[in-house]
């Protein structure tokens, strides 16, 4: 049930984004079917690229790609912000060992939703070339 709600929410976000783009491009005043399919192809390409990009960034972050940047910025900003613990980690090795002890995950659902939106975009592109 929880995953169903996740996919429903993100499906609605994709449809709303595509609808807003269609309204922006005046889909209702398009003259012929080719123009309508061109607008629909563009409208579903935008959320597809956004969702696929976010999911790949999430995958990279879950594998530890940005750990060094997080440690560096955290140690720099801990000097200026009063609420941060300055001496929490002695070195990057300690920081990395603590992060590796935690289980990190990424959200493949975003990738699936992006691929579905990309598939719809390709479908509209096929209709564009057929008509």
């Amino acid at each position: 049930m929880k995953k169903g709600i996740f996919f429903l929410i993100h499906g609605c976000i994709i449809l709303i984004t595509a609808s807003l783009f269609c309204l922006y491009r005046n889909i209702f005043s398009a003259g012929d079917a080719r123009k309508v399919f061109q607008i629909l192809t563009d409208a579903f390409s935008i959320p597809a690229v956004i969702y696929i990009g976010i999911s790949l960034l999430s995958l990279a972050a879950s594998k530890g790609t940005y750990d060094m940047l997080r440690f560096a910025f955290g140690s720099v900003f801990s000097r200026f912000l009063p609420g941060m613990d300055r001496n929490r980690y002695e070195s990057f090795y300690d920081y990395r060992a603590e992060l590796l002890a935690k289980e990190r995950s990424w959200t493949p659902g975003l990738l699936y939703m992006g691929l579905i939106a990309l598939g719809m975009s390709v479908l509209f592109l096929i209709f564009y070339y057929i008509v």
Side-chain angles (χ1 to χ4, degrees), residues 4 10 25-26 28 30 36 52-53 60 71 74 90 92 97-98 111 113 116 124 129-131:
H10 287 284
R25 293 281 304 264
N26 297 325
F28 297 114
V36 170
I52 291 171
F71 178 75
E90 290 290 324
F92 175 70
E98 184 177 319
L111 179 64
M113 294 305 294
I116 289 171
F124 288 129
Y129 282 114
I130 290 174
V131 172

Side-chain angles (χ1 to χ4, degrees), residues 102-116:
K102 297 177 186 175
E103 184 175 331
R104 296 188 276 183
S105 64
W106 68 292
T107 53
L110 295 178
L111 179 64
Y112 301 147
M113 294 305 294
L115 291 175
I116 289 171

